[in-house]
Amino acid sequence: MTDNNDGACSSDIIAQHEQELECRRRRFGESHPAVAETLNILGLFYHHVTRDQLKSLHYHEEALDILRAQPGSFYSADKAVTLTDLGNVYRAMNNGEKALTSYEEALVLFHEIQVPEQHPAFLSAYRGVEMLRRGTSEDANGFDVA
């Protein structure tokens, strides 16, 4: 018999990151990129671990709003990665139209800041577009990437 504490561990991890989020908000303010970073971590956790796409969507959208409000292009790579993450969430929610829009916006940003097409972040957005075109949630090796 095995003791499965995955639910308890997930709750602990979420609580730790929620606490970190509140600390960063107090220290840096609501609209600081460090807050967006923690929001994205929570979004990824909800997407990949708990499979709660609505919570994931909430965290990624809030992070993107913060990153879009930053002046200049310094955070363009962070915006593009967040858009890719949003695309993955939308795809998991079977919203291909919003997923495609997110992936394409990410690719535009990657091109603007001259990220090489071989870079893993660029390839992630590109694969998202290709999977939508093929109508699948699996990569070329058959792994579910949603």
Side-chain angles (χ1 to χ4, degrees), residues 18 119 138:
E18 288 284 354
H119 191 280
E138 295 179 352

Side-chain angles (χ1 to χ4, degrees), residues 2-60:
T2 60
D3 183 16
N4 187 347
N5 289 323
D6 288 348
C9 289
S10 293
S11 295
D12 289 347
I13 292 169
I14 290 169
Q16 289 172 351
H17 282 92
E18 288 284 354
Q19 184 178 22
E20 177 67 19
L21 178 60
E22 291 311 310
C23 287
R24 286 184 173 200
R25 283 181 166 152
R26 281 192 308 272
R27 182 173 183 193
F28 301 115
E30 292 289 325
S31 60
H32 193 277
V35 172
E37 178 184 36
T38 304
L39 289 165
N40 274 326
I41 289 168
L42 283 160
L44 288 168
F45 190 85
Y46 279 109
H47 174 66
H48 291 288
V49 178
T50 69
R51 302 284 188 193
D52 187 335
Q53 303 309 325
L54 288 175
K55 282 188 179 180
S56 179
L57 184 65
H58 166 76
Y59 284 113
H60 286 309

